[in-house]
Structures are given as structure tokens and as C-alpha cells.
Amino acid sequence: MAAALAWLPRARADQPAVRGIDRTEGDSLGTLQWPDLRREFIGEGAVAFSDRVRVRVPETADDPLNVPVMVDARGLAADGVRIRLIRVVVDRNPIRHVVDFEPLRSLPVLSLRLKLEQASPVRALVQAEDGAWHVAGAWVQAAGGGCTVAGSSRTDGSWSRTLNQVRARLFDNVIEGSRRLRVQVMHPMDTGLVAGIPAFHVERLALLDAAGQPWWRLALREPVSENPSLGFELPLSLSGPLRLRGQDNNGNPIDAVLTA
């Protein structure tokens, strides 16, 4: 999957205008990190700051180890933009890359919790099928330290008894026309920034239907919170048994059957 995500074609110079777009090259959030972020995570592709992508975060992070974030790119999809990838990054984290989400046949909506080292913008970089990037973000105030302290399961040693166990639940009528899937994977999600504890995190997940076809794929990085709690919006047409498969960066498998 990493190889597939690495191929990012450039946008066409004649790409059509999309409603809600600011095509200026300046950073809508005004941080000094934006030029580096753009070079690292977007490259030379066309970039537009868009109000058709929503990033929902708390104004202040009471717990920097568990900051809730929701990215909703349905506004772009409603304008006819086909979405290839949703990338979440944090400007001022020591590890800025959080997740890469390929919606595939699910809705372009993702919720998660992440670690925040200090007050920072949280950004969604949304890549369309034509290669263009649509960017949105929001500031979160935080006392900090979320990336450089151990989580509770690492501290008390309980992580080894529950490693890669999966909890899941489906909800109806949360967003009209879809079903919400909440998934939790038990894992310490160590950043590697705590003395004596190497990086250890869930690396990839995919939701498969009964035919083995993926409905979404997710690549996770160290800043995702301990025991990742993830939310997805699935079409009502999805039925039958579902399977969550993946692994962590040490090769430990994740495999669970979910009932739709």
C-alpha cells in the first residue's frame, strides 16, 4: 500500500474551478511550517485552500495524548471531485505525518484521535484523482507533551495482554445515507520519542467485504493516539460480513470479522 500512496501525479494546468476554493499560494493558517509541509507532503502538485473540506477539532486540547479530529471532505465530493487520498498532518509535532486514508468505496469522512506536542494547526491534505490538492485545517491550543510521554497501557504493562484486539460497532442514521463504523484497535502506539521505548505502532488497516474487496485503506503513523479509535462512514449498500485486516510495524497481524 505504501508504494501505491507514493505515486502522486501532477495536476493538469487546465483543471476546472471548484466551488469554495482559494487558489492563492499563501498559507490560510499563517504558520512558518507551511512551505516545508508543502514540499514534504505535496511536492509540486497544484494546491488550493478550500472551505469544502472541514477539519473539526476542539479549540483547546484538554488531553494532548487524545485530541479528537474529524475530517469531512463530502463537500468536495458533492462538487464532483473524486477523492483519492486524505492525509492528516500536524505542523508543530516532532512527527508531523499522522495518517493517509484512501476512502475507496466509503465516504470521504474520517475521525480519529491524535497526540499533540504543542499548540498547532491540524491539517487535512486531500488529493483528487486528477492529482490536485485541496487543503484545510484548524488550530488547536494545547499545553503539549503528547508525543514525548508514554501512554497508560505502556506505563502499567497492560498493552501486552490486549495487543491488536479489535472492538467494533456499526451505527445507523448518524449521517443521512450512510452507516457509521467505529473501530478500536488495542495498541500502545509508541512514538519512539520516549527514552528506552522504540517506535511501535499500527502501520496499516483495511476493511474488506465478503469477496475480499477493500472499502477503505488506512496507513497510520506514530502520532495516532494509544488504542486507536477510528470512525468511518460506509454506504448503506454495504452488507454481509466485513473483515478488518492489517498489521503493526513489527509485523504483528490484525484480523477481525465484523458483522454488518
Side-chain angles (χ1 to χ4, degrees):
M1 180 176 65
L5 292 176
W7 185 77
L8 303 176
R10 296 185 63 177
R12 301 190 309 271
D14 61 345
Q15 73 175 57
V18 178
R19 182 160 58 96
I21 290 296
D22 173 6
R23 296 201 177 280
T24 62
E25 292 297 311
D27 173 24
S28 61
L29 296 175
T31 70
L32 297 176
Q33 291 80 19
W34 171 247
D36 286 341
L37 282 167
R38 175 172 178 166
R39 280 192 294 269
E40 182 176 358
F41 297 111
I42 293 177
E44 297 181 359
V47 177
F49 294 97
S50 173
D51 63 7
R52 306 299 283 162
V53 179
R54 300 294 179 89
V55 178
R56 299 178 182 175
V57 294
E59 183 176 341
T60 301
D62 296 327
D63 179 2
L65 288 164
N66 290 281
V67 181
V69 176
M70 183 177 183
V71 178
D72 186 346
R74 288 177 297 151
L76 279 181
D79 287 340
V81 177
R82 298 186 63 182
I83 295 169
R84 172 187 295 174
L85 175 71
I86 297 175
R87 174 169 288 162
V88 178
V89 299
V90 178
D91 288 37
R92 296 180 175 180
N93 265 5
I95 302 171
R96 299 189 290 192
H97 194 177
V98 182
V99 295
D100 281 349
F101 174 49
E102 295 177 277
L104 300 179
R105 293 182 285 170
S106 65
L107 275 65
V109 179
L110 174 67
S111 60
L112 71 153
R113 291 177 178 267
L114 55 78
K115 308 180 187 92
L116 201 61
E117 185 65 14
Q118 59 181 300
S120 176
V122 175
R123 299 182 191 259
L125 315 179
V126 180
Q127 189 192 33
E129 286 287 353
D130 66 5
W133 291 86
H134 305 264
V135 178
W139 272 91
V140 184
Q141 300 299 321
C147 296
T148 50
V149 297
S152 59
S153 67
R154 175 62 71 179
T155 302
D156 63 22
S158 62
W159 68 270
S160 61
R161 298 190 295 272
T162 61
L163 184 68
N164 287 345
Q165 292 180 10
V166 175
R167 302 170 180 171
R169 186 176 176 185
L170 279 161
F171 300 86
D172 292 326
N173 301 322
V174 179
I175 292 179
E176 185 177 357
S178 71
R179 304 178 73 190
R180 177 164 297 175
L181 172 65
R182 296 293 308 181
V183 172
Q184 184 176 41
V185 181
M186 306 302 289
H187 203 284
M189 299 298 291
D190 300 311
T191 62
L193 301 176
V194 179
I197 304 176
F200 183 40
H201 60 92
V202 177
E203 190 171 56
R204 65 174 186 262
L205 294 170
L207 184 71
L208 309 177
D209 61 21
Q213 297 301 306
W215 283 74
W216 53 255
R217 287 194 291 258
L218 186 69
L220 299 85
R221 299 293 300 271
E222 298 92 322
V224 175
S225 295
E226 177 184 33
N227 301 327
S229 180
L230 308 162
F232 308 89
E233 299 295 331
L234 305 176
L236 294 175
S237 59
L238 180 59
S239 62
L242 305 173
R243 191 167 192 171
L244 185 74
R245 300 198 66 180
Q247 70 174 45
D248 62 29
N249 68 323
N250 280 7
N252 300 305
I254 299 164
D255 195 345
V257 175
L258 317 178
T259 302

